Amino acid sequence: MTRRSSVVLGLTLLVGGCGRPPADRLIGTGTLEVIEVDVSPTGAARAMRLWVDEGDTVHAGDTLVTLTQPTSGPEVAQRRAALNAAQAALRELESGARRREIDRAEADVAAAAAERDRAVRDYARAQPLGAAGVISRQQLDAARAASQQAEARHRSAVEALQLLREGTRAERIQAARAEVASARAALAAAEALAAELVLTAPVDGVVLSRNVEPGEMLAGGQSALTLGDVARPWTRVYLSSLVIPRVRVGQAALARLDGLPGREFRGRVVAVSDRAEYTPRIALTEEERADLLFGVKVAFEDSTGLLKPGLPVTVAILAPEPAS
């Protein structure tokens, strides 16, 4: 028997065994499923401890897995030290020169001025002596060079004092602030990576599988645990093309479990397939057109925990008959 035929036969038997359903109810069967969420690290790490087992119920924020990375601690310390250094450099530039630095620069200017005056006087005395031949040409040149060097040192000292009095240029302060921002971002990235070594539950749910054991290595993005969001189960049922025009997203639905035939669970249609499944090669006759099935996804809100993944479920979609 083909898959198409078995599905159609199953629906036929369902309707025949339960009696003819009300005209405003479209009956289908499916298997409950849940949204699965893989919990994984962002980078390579070693699993140190798993705090949950398969089947455990967890809540958003619960600690699931503790990981370790040999470089995470030193990396955070290095980034924090770099930030401290950048902040200290910025404070120094923003505060400008201290009074003692200016006093020392003024003293350097005074000393350079005294040295310049002495060298100028020595050269002035050497000029007539050189013209009279009392000193050599080499001695006269040395006196002139000393005078010029003393004058250059005095100008340099004066410029240094002027820079201290004017303070740091705005461009240097902006560059230092950028360095602080960069160091702060690098520290935040390192701390975020270290925080990822503790994996927590992103949603309320049940642990469907443990995919790693303590001591094993995980690559970035590799699943350590798989959670199931059991509070929002769903199923997909298949309805004939003859009734699918009566189905709309948002319509109410009721579900029953085989083990609890007297209890109904409320849901709603969240998606209707726009393409037929199990399509015959040529659909010309009325019987063949009935073989065209469309998938309909029905979602439920379940706070009881009774709608477990894998359970078969019978769904009745409340779809009133179209007006004649």
Side-chain angles (χ1 to χ4, degrees):
M1 182 181 294
T2 64
R3 185 182 180 187
R4 183 192 70 198
S5 301
S6 62
V7 172
V8 175
L9 179 59
L11 293 176
T12 303
L13 292 176
L14 172 67
V15 173
C18 299
R20 185 175 181 84
D24 62 346
R25 294 193 177 194
L26 305 179
I27 307 298
T29 59
T31 301
L32 287 173
E33 299 184 45
V34 296
I35 298 173
E36 295 186 1
V37 179
D38 287 325
V39 181
S40 57
T42 56
R46 186 182 301 278
M48 293 295 293
R49 182 172 180 180
L50 279 76
W51 299 86
V52 292
D53 292 314
E54 292 185 5
D56 286 353
T57 299
V58 299
H59 300 283
D62 287 351
T63 298
L64 304 179
V65 185
T66 303
L67 307 171
T68 183
Q69 279 180 336
T71 60
S72 61
E75 180 73 13
V76 171
Q78 180 183 1
R79 298 299 183 185
R80 184 173 290 114
L83 175 59
N84 292 336
Q87 289 174 331
L90 175 61
R91 286 194 298 269
E92 182 178 1
L93 292 177
E94 289 178 332
S95 61
R98 293 174 294 180
R99 181 68 247 177
R100 291 180 59 186
E101 292 176 327
I102 295 177
D103 292 343
R104 185 176 64 183
E106 290 175 343
D108 291 342
V109 170
E115 176 64 21
R116 178 202 58 187
D117 294 343
R118 183 189 64 78
V120 169
R121 289 194 300 270
D122 289 346
Y123 178 53
R125 285 193 298 266
Q127 284 179 318
L129 295 178
V134 176
I135 60 175
S136 66
R137 182 68 181 178
Q138 182 179 5
Q139 289 175 314
L140 180 62
D141 291 342
R144 183 173 61 251
S147 175
Q148 293 173 345
Q149 291 173 357
E151 178 65 28
R153 284 195 292 271
H154 177 259
R155 287 197 301 269
S156 177
V158 171
E159 291 175 357
L161 175 60
Q162 185 65 24
L163 289 175
L164 286 176
R165 286 173 174 171
E166 290 177 355
T168 307
R169 290 185 302 173
E171 293 83 356
R172 290 190 61 191
I173 293 179
Q174 290 177 354
R177 287 173 178 168
E179 288 291 334
V180 170
S182 177
R184 183 176 288 113
L187 175 60
E191 290 176 339
L193 187 60
E196 287 292 330
L197 297 179
V198 178
L199 302 182
T200 58
V203 296
D204 294 346
V206 172
V207 180
L208 299 181
S209 65
R210 284 174 38 140
N211 307 321
V212 70
E213 294 299 328
E216 294 182 351
M217 285 295 298
L218 283 169
Q222 182 180 349
S223 175
L225 293 170
T226 301
L227 303 182
D229 188 359
V230 295
R232 295 184 297 164
W234 60 274
T235 188
R236 193 180 304 276
V237 298
Y238 293 90
L239 299 179
S240 167
S241 62
L242 304 181
V243 298
I244 203 66
R246 296 166 54 191
V247 180
R248 298 287 186 272
V249 172
Q251 284 178 325
L254 299 174
R256 289 185 179 181
L257 299 174
D258 291 346
L260 295 171
R263 182 164 187 175
E264 292 181 333
F265 299 87
R266 294 189 174 275
R268 65 184 182 89
V269 175
V270 295
V272 179
S273 176
D274 57 359
R275 299 187 62 181
E277 311 258 355
Y278 317 114
T279 308
R281 186 173 181 180
I282 301 176
L284 296 178
T285 68
E286 182 178 352
E287 180 181 355
E288 288 172 333
R289 289 197 299 272
D291 287 344
L292 293 172
L293 301 180
F294 287 78
V296 178
K297 183 176 180 180
V298 181
F300 304 93
E301 295 291 337
D302 177 36
S303 60
T304 65
L306 297 175
L307 299 181
K308 299 184 180 299
L311 287 178
V313 63
T314 301
V315 178
I317 299 174
L318 307 183
E321 287 190 295
S324 55

